[in-house]
Amino acid sequence: MKKLIYILGCALGLGLYSCDALDLSPEDYYGSGNFWNKEAQVEGYIFGLHQQLRSSYNMFFVLGERRGGTMRNSTSCLGTSLSYSSPIGTNLLTADNTGISSWNGLYSNILQINHFIDQVENACDFMTNDEKAPYLGTAYGLRALYYFMLYRTYGGVPMITDVKVLSGEKPSPESLYTARSTPEEIMTFIKEDINKSENYYGNNNSISSDKSMWSKQATLMLKAEIYLWSAKVTTYDHKAAGNADLETAKTALSSIIGKYSLLPDFSQVFSVEDNNEIIFQLRFKENEFTDSGVGTFIYYNNLFEGQRYGRDGKVMGDTLQIQNVGQFLHEYKKALWDTYDADDSRRDKTFMDHYANEQLEGFGIAMKKAIGSINSNGVRIWDTDYPVYRYADALLMMAEIENGLGNPCASYINEVRKRAYGDKWGSQYEYHDGTFAENELAILHERDKEFVWEGKRWFDVVRMKDANGESLAFSAEANYPDNETPTNKTPLINKDEAYKLLWPVDINTLNNDDKLLQTPGYGGNEAQW
């Protein structure tokens, strides 16, 4: 098994050709004498796939949020350099400066899943079809998730569904080259995978107590997200499908609505494990795997303690008990902070504001919604689980679907708002249905306040539309101005650079595969979709 994991881990940057593992015999590839001979091994492999997803959790932030305009670029309020500023945060992607490389490393995860599907569907005769079904439901759901991340990032990508690197004889590099499929081909494939996942789960609608394992409900959330995207976003040869796909997304979410609940206290969503709001999350635990990335949203103690002031005008100490394990590589914009009402509990449960002096000048912001816990030794541990899907997402996706279908959507927005305002809730905060464009912006801004750090914002602005059916990525109204120029509202991307909605492929990846072509718009040998 160890050799198998190594081989698959080498694969598809697409730089798999230099791996020493290619010199191993086919028996070593499959580990046939030691693996795939009892259900406990199948179950163990599934756990491994979840661990691999957890190790790749940063994809949600880098691919799904950092380009979204809610975060400062270049320099923080403390003068520290901010990560992923250029070209990602500034949307200045070029063929020579792509921000990420090797498909963000997601194909090695996909190849692991391909191997699992191949073995469990075509071998593993020690299990019945009914015993195999939930495992395959999980595998197809996870593969759909990875390909959906790639699709929203690159459009058409190489469609790898087999385990040809594990075939019977040592492959030549040329036999492993894979061209990019078109966006329509990839979207069709993703839909096939997510529907297979749902079918394998069958009529079992029970909700597991362990929300860190993929489930039918996770599949339904992903299905709704896939079909919502397909309904609204045209990507070259994939034309937005409109109401038909919106109805499919609505049907998927209808099995979620009412089965979960919003927690009364927003902060408990991130501090209470496996709570009733969580649908699927990535598990982080002390002495197992912790999310040190959360610490990069806070502050350096030596630049903060005794030097920054609270909104009461008093000097601050180590207010969040970071104990010198925090950093300050990411900071959200003041313009986002300003959109929260003072009565909105999410503001002070998500952020801590601080200032350069007692006159409250020099605004700065630290994120505190997911900063883990203090262990028995008094040390801060980054053990907050990462929520991939939670009930608030289902409600706001349903609001967007109903808005797209021309139906009232305010009730779903208000359900989320009521929790946010708690005992401060009143008619002054209630949303009333408006035009399509007004509703769309209201849903977007509610998602902005609800899902800070959860990897949603960039994908939201690309998917959501203005009154003319154009992506909100082109709308100044959907963007947040910089701290330095708070009145200068500009779109995330100008319409004449619409090709930047997709990322370019880095040069090394292109050079490693003679069949690969560049994303259209970035020059050179471009794909013709």
Side-chain angles (χ1 to χ4, degrees):
M1 181 59 181
K2 183 177 180 181
K3 290 180 179 179
L4 173 66
I5 292 174
Y6 171 69
I7 296 161
L8 291 173
C10 287
L12 229 70
L14 295 168
L16 48 77
Y17 319 123
S18 62
C19 292
D20 295 336
L22 292 179
D23 293 327
L24 298 174
S25 66
E27 288 76 20
D28 286 321
Y29 289 148
Y30 282 98
S32 55
N34 300 309
F35 206 74
W36 302 119
N37 56 26
K38 56 185 176 182
E39 185 173 355
Q41 293 168 331
V42 175
E43 184 178 19
Y45 203 114
I46 283 289
F47 277 109
L49 295 180
H50 283 83
Q51 291 171 348
Q52 196 170 47
L53 175 60
R54 182 177 63 180
S55 296
S56 303
Y57 77 98
N58 200 39
M59 72 179 181
F60 295 104
F61 174 72
V62 175
L63 304 183
E65 180 156 356
R66 189 61 181 90
R67 295 183 67 188
T70 57
M71 306 189 72
R72 290 182 64 156
N73 292 307
S74 185
T75 306
S76 76
C77 69
L78 300 183
T80 60
S81 296
L82 296 173
S83 296
Y84 298 117
S85 288
S86 183
I88 296 177
T90 52
N91 285 298
L92 296 176
L93 302 172
T94 67
D96 295 320
N97 196 7
T98 59
I100 56 175
S101 61
S102 300
W103 310 106
N104 206 50
L106 297 186
Y107 274 104
S108 61
N109 300 22
I110 288 171
L111 285 177
Q112 291 274 22
I113 296 172
N114 289 347
H115 181 63
F116 179 88
I117 290 173
D118 177 67
Q119 287 296 297
V120 176
E121 279 194 330
N122 301 315
C124 295
D125 295 334
F126 51 87
M127 299 173 66
T128 67
N129 288 338
D130 287 344
E131 290 170 335
K132 293 179 179 182
Y135 296 114
L136 289 167
T138 294
Y140 276 107
L142 291 174
R143 190 168 73 176
L145 174 66
Y146 287 125
Y147 269 109
F148 189 45
M149 292 294 291
L150 288 168
Y151 177 84
R152 290 180 293 178
T153 303
Y154 294 103
V157 294
M159 188 187 299
I160 311 294
T161 61
D162 58 12
V163 285
K164 56 189 174 185
V165 72
L166 304 178
S167 58
E169 58 185 42
K170 179 178 176 179
S172 66
E174 292 76 14
S175 70
L176 298 173
Y177 293 159
T178 308
R180 298 173 74 167
S181 297
T182 71
E184 176 62 23
E185 289 168 338
I186 295 297
M187 176 53 74
T188 298
F189 171 69
I190 293 169
K191 288 178 177 178
E192 289 172 352
D193 262 14
I194 201 62
N195 287 320
K196 286 179 183 177
S197 176
E198 183 181 8
N199 290 336
Y200 270 121
Y201 280 118
N203 296 321
N204 183 1
N205 297 308
S206 60
I207 297 175
S208 171
S209 59
D210 184 355
K211 307 294 184 63
S212 69
M213 299 298 293
W214 193 266
S215 63
K216 182 177 182 180
Q217 289 75 28
T219 283
L220 291 171
M221 286 292 291
L222 177 57
K223 181 175 182 176
E225 198 173 20
I226 290 166
Y227 278 85
L228 177 58
W229 188 279
S230 174
K232 298 179 73 173
V233 182
T234 291
T235 304
Y236 292 95
D237 69 329
H238 173 75
K239 307 304 179 185
N243 284 10
D245 278 9
L246 286 176
E247 291 287 1
T248 300
K250 181 177 179 178
T251 298
L253 280 186
S254 295
S255 298
I256 300 292
I257 300 297
K259 304 297 192 303
Y260 295 81
S261 60
L262 299 178
L263 296 191
D265 184 341
F266 180 72
S267 62
Q268 289 184 336
V269 177
F270 312 98
S271 60
V272 178
E273 192 173 275
D274 293 324
N275 63 71
N276 290 335
E277 184 167 339
I278 296 297
I279 298 170
F280 176 63
Q281 63 191 0
L282 306 181
R283 176 82 75 234
F284 293 94
K285 280 188 176 295
E286 184 179 7
N287 300 321
E288 181 183 317
F289 194 91
T290 53
D291 179 8
S292 59
V294 173
T296 63
F297 290 81
I298 302 176
Y299 51 74
Y300 290 102
N301 287 69
N302 64 327
L303 298 176
F304 186 87
E305 291 184 72
Q307 302 174 61
R308 300 293 291 180
Y309 292 77
R311 70 176 78 143
D312 59 1
K314 296 180 180 180
V315 70
M316 304 176 78
D318 185 10
T319 309
L320 299 179
Q321 294 181 268
I322 302 305
Q323 307 163 5
N324 293 308
V325 296
Q327 301 180 63
F328 205 33
L329 304 179
H330 306 291
E331 185 176 15
Y332 285 89
K333 291 179 178 177
K334 185 178 186 296
L336 173 62
W337 161 273
D338 288 339
T339 64
Y340 290 86
D341 296 306
D343 287 340
D344 187 335
S345 67
R346 292 173 298 190
R347 187 188 72 176
D348 291 344
K349 291 178 178 179
T350 300
F351 296 120
M352 181 186 74
D353 53 319
H354 50 88
Y355 303 85
N357 55 44
E358 53 193 317
Q359 287 76 42
L360 306 189
E361 299 169 325
F363 178 92
I365 192 170
M367 189 184 77
K368 67 177 188 179
K369 78 185 268 188
I371 59 172
S373 62
I374 304 295
N375 71 5
S376 58
N377 295 318
V379 177
R380 180 161 294 282
I381 303 299
W382 311 114
D383 60 353
T384 299
D385 293 337
Y386 188 90
V388 178
Y389 291 121
R390 57 187 178 91
Y391 191 51
D393 199 4
L395 292 170
L396 292 176
M397 274 203 288
M398 186 64 94
E400 187 179 344
I401 291 166
E402 294 288 30
N403 189 43
L405 292 170
N407 299 328
C409 64
S411 62
Y412 295 105
I413 300 173
N414 287 329
E415 191 169 345
V416 175
R417 286 191 176 186
K418 285 177 184 177
R419 190 265 297 278
Y421 288 92
D423 58 9
K424 303 290 183 65
W425 173 255
S427 59
Q428 71 272 30
Y429 298 126
E430 186 174 355
Y431 182 73
H432 298 279
D433 287 299
T435 65
F436 169 84
E438 290 168 342
N439 292 342
E440 199 87 339
L441 271 176
I443 296 165
L444 174 65
H445 290 148
E446 205 64 38
R447 292 180 66 85
D448 292 346
K449 288 180 276 193
E450 184 75 20
F451 299 120
V452 168
W453 165 80
E454 296 180 50
K456 310 285 186 184
R457 217 284 166 164
W458 168 249
F459 292 146
D460 287 346
V461 292
V462 173
R463 182 187 68 248
M464 301 180 81
K465 305 296 182 183
D466 64 14
N468 298 316
E470 298 286 355
S471 168
L472 290 180
F474 308 134
S475 169
E477 289 302 309
N479 195 14
Y480 293 93
D482 293 331
N483 287 36
E484 295 77 12
T485 53
T487 60
N488 183 24
K489 298 190 73 171
T490 57
L492 282 167
I493 293 177
N494 292 322
K495 184 66 188 306
D496 61 0
E497 291 185 319
Y499 68 91
K500 288 186 177 179
L501 293 177
L502 299 177
W503 298 53
V505 181
D506 62 287
I507 299 300
N508 285 340
T509 298
L510 289 172
N511 288 341
N512 280 338
D513 191 330
D514 288 346
K515 290 186 177 180
L516 280 181
L517 300 176
Q518 183 58 274
T519 305
Y522 288 97
N525 197 11
E526 296 180 342
Q528 301 299 311
W529 293 329

